[in-house]
Amino acid sequence: MAIAAHPDDIEFLMAGTLLLLGERGFELHYMTVSSGNCGSMTMPPERTRRVRKSESMGAAKILGAEYHKSLTDDLEILYDVRTLRRLAAVIREVGPNILLVPSPQDYMEDHTNTSRLAVTAAFARGMPNFRTVPARKPVDCDVALYHGMPHGLCDQLRQKIVPEIFVRTESVHARKREALAAHNSQKAWLDATQGMDSYLRVMDEMSLELGRMSGIFRHAEGWRRHLHYGFSGQDEDPLSDILGALVARVPGE
Ligand SMILES: [Zn+2]
């Protein structure tokens, strides 16, 4: 299961790994906490929300993932109990064994708050006394949490973030790109607000940069494991177990 803040965040940072897991027969789940309603300079929020939902559903379909509805709006992803109860309900419904979440450090609070919400919602998956909305029974399963890379591969204080593991994504890069391209409305928005020529190229460049950092792959996604307490056994690293030779742990090895 991948949980990110905004429609298209999964496609930028996580979709390659999801696709590789899908190829190995894993059931995939796709959720963004925000609707992306502020992601337009010209469309009103209700329409933007609708457009981005349909784009996200299209992207999830390309990835072969089940789509889950967003819970709130842009800049309104707050670490609050209301959101936590709703997110924890989704996690109990899915019962993921691998949870891909944003970096706990990133330039934008929606991303860091999503990271915190997903971590706590996963932590509460088996606690009978934590009430979810809607009410869902606790689940008894190990879950390994992996944090994706922040945008720009650095934290909000400009410090470089280095992944713990690199996943080789060459073989699925074209499909990852296709899923990102499903977010049609975003090209114009990102060109206007972030000075990006093309969001597809930004994704390519990040993927190539992570490949270079790995020392051996051309395209890669980077991950850092969350500490295991409350989630799984100490040394569990299902991504490395499942993806085998597609994973590199130390740059250059
Ligand atoms: Zn985002």
Side-chain angles (χ1 to χ4, degrees):
M1 179 177 200
I3 298 177
H6 308 113
D8 82 12
D9 286 350
I10 288 175
E11 291 75 3
F12 266 107
L13 299 162
M14 306 172 169
T17 302
L18 271 185
L19 283 164
L20 291 169
L21 291 171
E23 282 178 355
R24 280 150 187 79
F26 284 80
E27 183 183 308
L28 307 180
H29 293 264
Y30 173 113
M31 178 174 188
T32 66
V33 176
S34 172
S35 67
N37 71 316
C38 291
S40 173
M41 301 291 268
T42 51
M43 290 188 290
E46 306 75 36
R47 181 148 169 243
T48 307
R49 206 182 278 124
R50 265 202 317 278
V51 166
R52 299 201 71 186
K53 182 178 178 187
S54 96
E55 290 171 350
S56 291
M57 291 174 83
K61 195 166 178 193
I62 290 166
L63 297 174
E66 183 177 329
Y67 172 85
H68 296 267
K69 286 201 301 281
S70 59
L71 302 177
T72 184
D73 287 328
D74 286 350
L75 308 185
E76 297 181 30
I77 302 179
L78 303 176
Y79 187 82
D80 59 18
V81 75
R82 181 175 171 272
T83 313
L84 203 51
R85 291 195 196 288
R86 295 166 72 210
L87 188 58
V90 180
I91 287 183
R92 286 183 182 180
E93 279 165 23
V94 173
N97 301 117
I98 296 174
L99 187 58
L100 308 178
V101 301
S103 171
Q105 299 93 16
D106 204 346
Y107 76 105
M108 215 222 157
E109 300 279 321
D110 276 356
H111 296 170
T112 53
N113 287 340
T114 296
S115 182
R116 296 179 64 202
L117 285 163
V119 167
T120 307
F123 192 85
R125 71 196 180 286
M127 293 177 161
N129 290 355
F130 185 76
R131 183 169 52 83
T132 65
V133 176
R136 292 288 178 266
K137 283 198 170 51
V139 291
D140 175 23
C141 64
D142 273 7
V143 57
L145 271 67
Y146 292 84
H147 292 279
M149 294 302 289
H151 282 281
L153 309 180
C154 64
D155 70 13
Q156 56 271 55
L157 300 177
R158 300 168 179 268
Q159 301 299 303
K160 199 168 171 57
I161 301 282
V162 178
E164 178 191 9
I165 66 172
F166 296 89
V167 172
R168 178 179 207 159
T169 55
E170 276 102 292
S171 66
V172 290
H173 189 76
R175 240 158 90 222
K176 175 176 173 176
R177 223 170 182 272
E178 194 191 327
L180 181 59
H183 298 271
N184 281 324
S185 66
Q186 292 311 289
K187 184 178 173 354
W189 157 248
L190 287 176
D191 286 353
T193 59
Q194 315 257 328
M196 295 177 180
D197 298 341
S198 152
Y199 75 140
L200 294 174
R201 210 173 67 214
V202 169
M203 189 277 281
D204 288 342
E205 281 166 7
M206 189 183 294
S207 166
L208 288 165
E209 175 60 21
L210 282 162
R212 274 191 293 276
M213 284 168 77
S214 78
I216 51 170
F217 302 149
R218 179 165 158 74
H219 282 286
E221 289 176 354
W223 299 101
R224 293 184 293 162
R225 276 184 303 166
H226 199 88
L227 195 58
H228 64 280
Y229 298 126
F231 298 104
S232 69
Q234 182 168 359
D235 296 319
E236 279 190 28
D237 180 7
L239 268 190
S240 296
D241 296 343
I242 294 157
L243 298 178
L246 295 178
V247 169
R249 298 194 64 84
V250 180
E253 285 191 3

